């Protein structure tokens, strides 16, 4: 990560506005004027803009529709400046995301946009149950697993997932999120997760921390 | 004061006066199945079971309403959708029933009497009415025309529709409004005393407060004015933020509020315009001890009850299946003990 300069701050302000106004051209212009490499731009400016948007959502200043739509624009911008095949191969532990035992994909969609737009590679397992998830994560050597749920009984399935991971893939870190975790701030601990965030963009500093700490 | 019937108590508080005690709504659904010792899916398959479940729950906890809500996905079923059941939680809508937004202008509004799921609810309401002797309010429910499309289209496609396809969005709102009005009025005719209008998409958590007057608020005004009975609006634990004045202008009588909002502050700003329904945290409730439950109830009573205009309930409009009976008992006992008017200053556990 690059140190944040005044210029980066200004760029982040401008990009935040462009994303919220759903202005693709203005968002692209931020990249073009920034003179940063695509990956550095996404790690510093784009990730920071999405984090600000997430924080403002959590404070009640912005709506989920804005979080979602701005995430879409951010993802498009990233595809444009840094197509997936151009991402550096393995600069970080293998990450995956899934919706566990639930039918609601929007949370995962938003988190994926943010994670990808911040320059990470992310495997997406879609909507999945505990058995299949453990099997696939093991096959892919996943080290950090992101789980999104909307229903409470689905959130409770994380307990079972934790037990299975500890048995079959010890050391795998588990990050959970979604409405039940947001509305019940202690739930992530109760189900044995390693971390949570009330916003999608909050996952970025979390990932950086988990990557920096050995498991 | 003589003991009031639940209906008298609720009407009194909706009139922003103090009844004999604070009315409380335990908005229980799936617990009826547990009460009858059967699975959730079986329970919802037969109206008589739901009637029996509701009556037994009320007998056990003595709360001030009967709840005619089964599950939200019944409405998407009426539009052609399917539902998935699970043993440990509420049913959910499966794939969206509107697969191509271009077909919206050709959609037909489902007839209430031809939708088996909706007919079941009408039978539940009729059964409750027959057995409640007019003393207990029976709550019917609708998903707002503005919130239902999350199930009809899926959340992502719906957001794109709102912001990128304004004409198709308006057309869907027109159709859904017709449906919602017919559905609400059918429930009132069958036996519901009032309609709870679930509209979480209008919470500024979901769509911007600045859009409310032209989006969720416009739809609510058009819909609620045609519902032939009292309505309460529920944001299903979405926060109210800054849209109070507009919500009060939609013609609703009460508002279900989130546990993430400060009840005392809300009480002040509502200042008699709307009654408050809320705001115990239903998810945290799953892990409360009876003592914690009592503490939470006392805090809510202290903040919300003085002056009337307050119905104690959960923050979402449905108590999760995982909430144990002893917690519900503790809530019920605490309201009876501390909810008598005038509210005692010692109601606050730490006072
Ligand atoms: C809008 C809403 C509705 C709408 C639309 C629902 C839908 N999406 O399908 C309607 C009115 C139709 C509805 C119905 C129901 N609802 Co509802 N609804 C809500 C509400 C207000 C928002 C839900 C939502 O979709 N949000 C959008 C998502 C993307 O937000 P999110 O999950 O919080 O995700 C954000 C963050 O948490 C984070 N995040 C998400 N995933 C992850 C993952 C990681 C790793 C990280 C770090 C972060 C992260 O990023 C996202 C963006 O920042 C919530 C309460 C609330 N305040 O949130 C209840 C809520 C989801 N509903 C709930 C329930 C129970 C239902 C019903 C089952 C009720 C019933 N018995 O029928 C039905 C189910 C409908 C269906 N699908 O069949 C419960 C679920 C919990 C529980 N009790 O089991 C909730 C939480 C309410 C509550 N307080 O209990 N609902």
């Amino acid at each position: 990560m690059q140190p944040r300069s005044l210029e980066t701050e200004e760029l982040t302000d401008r990009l935040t506005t462009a994303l919220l106004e759903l202005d693709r051209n203005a968002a692209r212009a931020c990249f073009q004027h920034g003179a940063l490499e695509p990956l550095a731009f996404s790690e510093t400016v784009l990730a920071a803009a999405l984090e600000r948007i997430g924080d403002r959502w959590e404070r009640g200043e912005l709506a989920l529709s804005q979080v979602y739509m701005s995430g879409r624009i951010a993802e498009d911008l990233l595809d444009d400046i840094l197509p997936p095949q151009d991402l550096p191969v393995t600069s970080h532990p293998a990450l995956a995301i899934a919706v566990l035992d639930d039918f609601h994909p929007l949370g995962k969609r938003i988190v994926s946009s943010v994670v990808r737009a911040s320059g990470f590679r992310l495997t997406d397992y879609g909507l999945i149950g505990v058995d299949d998830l453990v099997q696939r994560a093991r096959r892919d050597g996943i080290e950090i697993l992101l789980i999104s749920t909307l229903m409470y009984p689905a959130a409770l399935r994380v307990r079972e997932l934790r037990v299975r991971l500890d048995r079959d893939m010890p050391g795998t870190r588990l990050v959970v999120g979604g409405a039940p975790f947001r509305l019940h701030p202690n739930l992530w601990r109760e189900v044995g997760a390693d971390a949570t965030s009330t916003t999608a963009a909050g996952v970025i500093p979390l990932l950086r921390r988990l990557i920096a700490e050995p498991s | 004061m003589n003991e009031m019937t639940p209906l008298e108590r609720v009407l009194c508080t909706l009139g922003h006066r103090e009844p004999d005690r604070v009315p409380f709504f335990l908005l229980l659904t799936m617990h009826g199945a547990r009460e009858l010792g059967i699975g959730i899916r079986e329970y919802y398959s037969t109206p008589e079971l739901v009637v029996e479940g509701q009556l037994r729950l009320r007998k056990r906890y003595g709360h001030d309403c009967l709840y005619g809500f089964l599950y939200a996905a019944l409405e998407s079923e009426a539009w052609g959708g399917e539902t998935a059941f699970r043993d440990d939680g509420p049913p959910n809508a499966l794939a969206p029933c509107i697969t191509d937004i271009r077909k919206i202008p050709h959609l037909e509004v489902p007839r209430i009497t031809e939708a088996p799921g909706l007919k079941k609810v009408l039978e539940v309401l009729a059964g409750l009415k027959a057995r409640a002797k007019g003393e207990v309010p029976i709550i019917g429910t609708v998903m707002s025309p503005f919130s239902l499309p999350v199930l009809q289209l899926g959340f992502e496609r719906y957001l794109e529709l709102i912001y990128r396809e304004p004409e198709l969005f308006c057309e869907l709102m027109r159709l859904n409004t017709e449906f919602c009005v017919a559905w609400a009025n059918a429930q009132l005719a069958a036996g519901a005393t009032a309609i709870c209008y679930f509209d979480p998409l209008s919470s500024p958590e979901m769509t911007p407060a600045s859009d409310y007057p032209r989006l969720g608020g416009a739809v609510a005004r058009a819909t609620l004015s045609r519902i032939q009975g009292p309505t309460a609006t529920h944001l299903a634990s979405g926060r109210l933020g800054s849209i109070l004045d507009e919500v009060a202008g939609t013609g609703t009588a009460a508002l279900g509020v989130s546990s993430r909002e400060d009840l005392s502050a809300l009480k002040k700003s509502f200042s008699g315009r709307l009654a408050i329904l809320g705001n115990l945290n239903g998810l945290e409730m799953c892990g409360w001890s009876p003592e914690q439950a009592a503490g939470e109830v006392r805090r809510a009573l202290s903040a919300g009850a003085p002056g009337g205009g307050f119905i104690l309930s959960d923050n979402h409009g449905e108590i999760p299946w995982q909430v144990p009976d002893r917690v519900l008992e503790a809530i019920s006992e605490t309201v009876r003990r501390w909810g008598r008017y005038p509210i005692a200053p010692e109601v606050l556990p730490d006072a």
Side-chain angles (χ1 to χ4, degrees):
Chain A
M1 245 176 66
Q2 316 240 330
R4 295 185 64 80
S5 62
L6 196 63
E7 202 184 334
T8 317
E9 284 302 321
E10 227 180 271
L11 219 49
T12 307
D13 285 346
R14 274 173 52 198
L15 182 62
T16 309
T17 310
L19 293 178
L20 287 172
E21 286 172 357
L22 309 183
D23 186 339
R24 286 168 207 273
N25 294 332
R28 208 189 145 76
C30 290
F31 168 67
Q32 284 159 342
H33 296 168
L36 285 168
E37 291 299 312
L39 187 62
F41 177 81
S42 64
E43 283 177 340
T44 49
V45 183
L46 197 51
L50 291 169
E51 252 178 77
R52 278 190 201 171
I53 291 173
D55 289 344
R56 287 179 60 192
W57 178 60
E58 188 49 26
R59 288 203 301 271
E61 295 167 13
L62 289 176
L64 185 91
S65 60
Q66 294 167 296
V67 175
Y68 167 70
M69 298 297 271
S70 58
R72 289 292 308 273
I73 308 278
E75 216 177 3
D76 291 350
L77 173 64
L78 186 82
D79 279 342
D80 197 13
I81 65 174
L82 185 66
Q85 64 272 20
D86 293 358
L87 272 174
V89 184
T90 42
S91 53
H92 58 75
L95 305 177
I97 189 163
V99 172
L100 183 66
D101 199 27
D102 201 321
F103 299 103
H104 300 88
L106 181 60
K108 172 174 75 65
R109 180 78 167 87
I110 298 175
V111 175
S112 304
S113 299
V114 175
V115 172
R116 294 198 49 242
S118 307
F120 293 96
R121 278 172 186 273
L122 182 69
T123 307
D124 188 335
Y125 294 135
L127 316 185
I128 196 168
V130 173
D131 286 343
D132 287 345
L133 177 57
V134 174
Q135 216 173 59
R136 294 180 63 178
R138 195 169 173 186
R139 191 194 60 203
D140 297 342
I142 297 304
E143 292 171 71
I144 301 179
L145 194 51
L146 308 180
I147 297 294
S148 177
T149 69
L150 192 75
M151 293 295 120
Y152 182 66
L156 294 179
R157 294 302 293 274
V158 172
R159 276 194 192 123
E160 194 182 325
L161 177 63
R162 172 89 271 173
V163 171
R164 292 288 307 280
L165 290 176
D166 287 349
R167 194 187 74 191
D168 299 344
M169 305 172 59
T172 312
R173 260 88 56 88
L174 199 49
V175 181
V176 294
F181 296 102
R182 216 156 49 77
L183 294 162
H184 183 338
N186 224 356
L187 185 59
W188 68 278
R189 274 200 203 91
E190 289 177 14
V191 297
D194 296 296
T196 190
S197 154
T198 52
T199 67
V203 80
I204 301 305
L206 257 173
L207 285 178
R208 291 189 176 135
R209 198 191 79 208
L210 290 175
I211 290 169
E213 287 169 359
S215 61
Chain B
M1 196 185 289
N2 286 340
E3 177 145 329
M4 294 176 151
T5 65
L7 186 60
E8 288 166 345
R9 192 171 288 136
V10 169
L11 289 175
C12 179
T13 213
L14 290 179
H16 300 273
R17 284 171 291 118
E18 295 188 345
D20 56 345
R21 72 156 163 78
V22 174
F24 71 114
F25 285 4
L26 291 181
L27 298 175
L28 295 164
T29 56
M30 299 163 278
H31 285 74
R34 190 182 301 162
E35 202 65 36
L36 300 182
I38 58 179
I40 292 170
R41 183 174 199 150
E42 184 190 351
Y43 178 65
Y44 283 141
S45 69
T46 311
E48 290 74 31
L49 294 174
V50 178
V51 171
E52 187 58 32
Q54 280 295 314
L55 291 166
R56 287 204 200 173
L57 289 166
R58 211 187 84 75
K59 190 161 175 220
R60 186 197 270 244
Y61 301 114
H63 48 284
D64 294 291
C65 72
L66 291 162
Y67 201 25
F69 177 63
L70 273 57
Y71 53 89
L74 270 180
E75 292 195 17
S76 44
E77 283 175 26
W79 290 82
E82 286 179 46
T83 301
F85 286 81
R86 61 190 303 155
D87 300 334
D88 56 354
N92 279 178
L94 278 170
C97 44
I98 304 176
T99 46
D100 177 0
I101 56 167
R102 304 284 146 213
K103 295 209 175 118
I104 288 175
H106 312 290
L107 288 175
E108 257 181 61
V109 178
R111 281 172 188 260
I112 306 305
T113 47
E114 282 166 20
L118 305 185
K119 267 177 32 194
K120 245 186 282 182
V121 175
L122 297 179
E123 285 173 43
V124 168
L125 293 167
L128 291 174
K129 185 179 181 185
R131 293 178 61 185
K133 302 189 216 109
E135 289 184 354
V136 187
I138 300 168
I139 312 301
T141 60
V142 294
M143 298 302 121
S144 81
F146 184 60
S147 294
L148 182 62
V150 177
L151 302 186
Q152 294 170 307
L153 291 165
F155 215 144
E156 288 174 39
R157 284 168 68 228
Y158 181 41
L159 291 175
E160 309 265 349
L161 184 84
I162 299 177
Y163 292 102
R164 299 213 166 127
E165 302 282 351
E167 281 170 21
L168 290 174
F169 165 72
C170 285
E171 181 57 15
L172 185 60
M173 288 306 103
R174 193 185 67 73
L175 296 168
N176 280 0
T177 301
E178 291 309 313
F179 173 71
C180 183
V181 167
W183 175 217
N185 287 334
Q187 292 182 67
L188 289 164
T193 320
I195 297 294
C196 187
Y197 178 84
F198 278 102
D199 193 17
L201 255 281
S202 285
S203 158
E205 249 179 62
M206 297 291 131
T207 49
S210 54
D211 286 348
Y212 181 73
R214 71 176 180 96
L215 295 180
V219 174
R221 282 194 305 276
T223 307
L224 297 180
S225 61
R226 292 172 58 200
I227 295 180
Q228 291 150 4
T231 55
T233 298
H234 211 306
L235 300 180
S237 83
R239 283 174 288 182
L240 172 66
S242 58
I243 60 171
L244 167 62
D245 292 342
E246 286 92 348
V247 174
T250 61
T252 199
L255 186 69
V257 304
S258 172
S259 56
R260 300 174 84 216
E261 268 170 315
D262 177 346
L263 203 50
S264 318
L266 282 185
K267 180 83 181 177
K268 268 202 206 98
S269 55
F270 277 38
S271 64
R273 284 181 289 170
L274 288 176
I276 295 179
L277 184 67
N279 70 344
L280 304 174
N281 187 326
L283 289 168
E284 290 187 334
M285 202 183 274
C286 299
W288 282 349
S289 64
E291 295 71 31
Q292 270 171 304
E296 293 294 333
V297 169
R298 289 170 65 179
R299 268 186 285 280
L301 291 176
S302 157
F310 180 67
I311 299 173
L312 181 83
S313 86
D314 69 294
N315 62 332
H316 171 229
E318 179 178 53
I319 292 181
W321 163 255
Q322 284 76 8
V323 172
D325 297 347
R326 59 175 190 283
V327 169
L328 300 171
E329 271 152 22
I331 293 173
S332 165
E333 272 165 30
T334 312
V335 189
R336 280 156 204 292
R337 165 129 193 252
W338 293 98
R340 302 235 142 248
Y341 280 108
I343 302 294
E346 307 79 53
V347 66
L348 252 195
D350 348 283

